[in-house]
Amino acid sequence: MPPRRRAAPRPAHNEAAQLADQLQEAGYTKRDIARVINRDPSLVSQFYTKNKGAAFVTALREVLAAVQTGGITDLPELTAIAARHIQRRTTTSGARARVRGKAVLITPTGSGTGRVGAQAIASGSARLRPLIAEAARQGLRLAFTVRLAKTAYLHSSGSRTDSPGIRRDVIQRADHTEERSYGSAQTGGFDAADFARRVNAASGDVTAAVHQWLVETGRIHPDVHILHLEIRTWRPR
C-alpha cells in the first residue's frame, strides 16, 4: 500500500492578518477593524484569503500599540490614529485610486434593512448593531420582524393584544413557525435611540435585546429562541 501523501503545511498569515488577529484577541471584530481603517469588512477577510493588507500594516501596528500600551479603546480615536498612517493608492496617471469604502447601512432617505438567520442569531446578531446605532444617530424609527415556533407566542396570530393586531403582519410557515412584525411607518414604529440603548444594555447582543422586549411586553415565553430577525428603519415625517 503506497504511503499517504501528507498535506502541505498551510502558509502563515501575512502581517496584516496577524495584527488583525491580535486586535480580535483584544476584543475587536473584523467589522471594528474595517471601521478603524475606513474600509469595507470584506477587505479585512481578504487579509487571510488573498494575502492583502500590506498598505495597512503600519496603521494596524500603531492601533495595536495604542490598545495594548496606551489603553485607548474608543473606535473613533483608533480610527484617527490609523488615518495618519494610511495613504490612498494612486493610478498610473497620479489620480487617487477608487477603493471600496465602508458599506452603506442606511440610504439618504433613512431606509435601511438588516436580516440575520440562525447562525448569526446564535452569536447575538452583531451585524445588526451598526444599523441600529446609525439609525439612533440619525433619529430614525425602526420596526422588526421575528420568526419563532408558533407555540412560542403567548397570543394567537392576529390578536389585538399582540403588536400586529391584524393578520397581514403575520406569516405562518409550513415548518410550524410564524413570523410577526412589530412596528411600521403607519403605527409610528419604535425610537431607534431607545432600542440602541437596549442593545447596549445587552452588551451589544441584538437578539437578546429583542427577546427581552418580547418577554417584557408579554408576547413570548421566556425560554424560546428567535429563529430569524429583521430590522427596518425609516425617517419619520
Side-chain angles (χ1 to χ4, degrees):
M1 184 176 179
R4 292 182 180 179
R5 295 178 60 185
R6 292 185 178 181
R10 296 178 64 183
H13 288 144
N14 64 22
E15 188 173 0
Q18 292 173 25
L19 291 166
D21 282 340
Q22 292 181 68
L23 285 169
Q24 289 175 82
E25 289 171 5
Y28 296 92
T29 65
K30 288 182 181 179
R31 185 175 293 275
D32 291 332
I33 296 168
R35 289 177 62 190
V36 166
I37 62 174
N38 196 32
R39 293 295 186 272
D40 189 87
S42 64
L43 176 62
V44 179
S45 295
Q46 290 174 15
F47 291 177
Y48 302 87
T49 60
K50 296 187 178 180
N51 204 35
K52 292 190 176 183
F56 302 97
V57 166
T58 302
L60 291 171
R61 283 179 188 158
E62 295 298 321
V63 168
L64 185 62
V67 171
Q68 293 180 335
T69 62
I72 298 173
T73 58
D74 189 57
L75 286 182
E77 288 188 62
L78 296 176
T79 301
I81 292 170
R84 296 196 291 266
H85 303 280
I86 296 175
Q87 292 184 340
R88 284 286 296 270
R89 290 185 293 109
T90 58
T91 64
T92 53
S93 64
R96 294 178 70 182
R98 294 177 61 186
V99 299
R100 182 182 294 183
K102 295 180 290 184
V104 176
L105 298 174
I106 296 174
T107 67
T109 61
S111 175
T113 303
R115 303 178 184 86
V116 290
Q119 185 174 357
I121 283 174
S123 59
S125 306
R127 73 178 68 167
L128 295 179
R129 189 181 186 186
L131 173 65
I132 295 171
E134 181 61 18
R137 189 187 70 81
Q138 294 190 29
L140 305 182
R141 308 292 292 180
L142 64 76
F144 59 88
T145 296
V146 293
R147 184 194 305 165
L148 297 95
K150 288 182 182 179
T151 55
Y153 297 99
L154 290 173
H155 307 289
S156 60
S157 59
S159 167
R160 292 192 176 276
T161 309
D162 197 21
S163 183
I166 48 179
R167 283 188 178 273
R168 70 166 175 262
D169 288 328
V170 175
I171 299 176
Q172 296 181 336
R173 297 182 171 273
D175 61 356
H176 305 293
T177 63
E178 191 169 280
E179 288 186 9
R180 298 192 185 186
S181 297
Y182 296 91
S184 68
Q186 289 72 34
T187 62
F190 304 97
D191 180 9
D194 177 62
F195 223 86
R197 286 190 287 270
R198 283 181 170 272
V199 172
N200 291 337
S203 301
D205 191 323
V206 179
T207 309
V210 172
H211 187 279
Q212 183 179 14
W213 182 87
L214 291 167
V215 171
E216 285 179 359
T217 55
R219 287 172 167 82
I220 64 172
H221 295 284
D223 57 345
V224 299
H225 299 287
I226 296 173
L227 305 175
H228 171 91
L229 176 61
E230 176 183 292
I231 302 289
R232 300 176 300 283
T233 69
W234 67 91
R235 195 177 306 283
R237 294 180 179 178

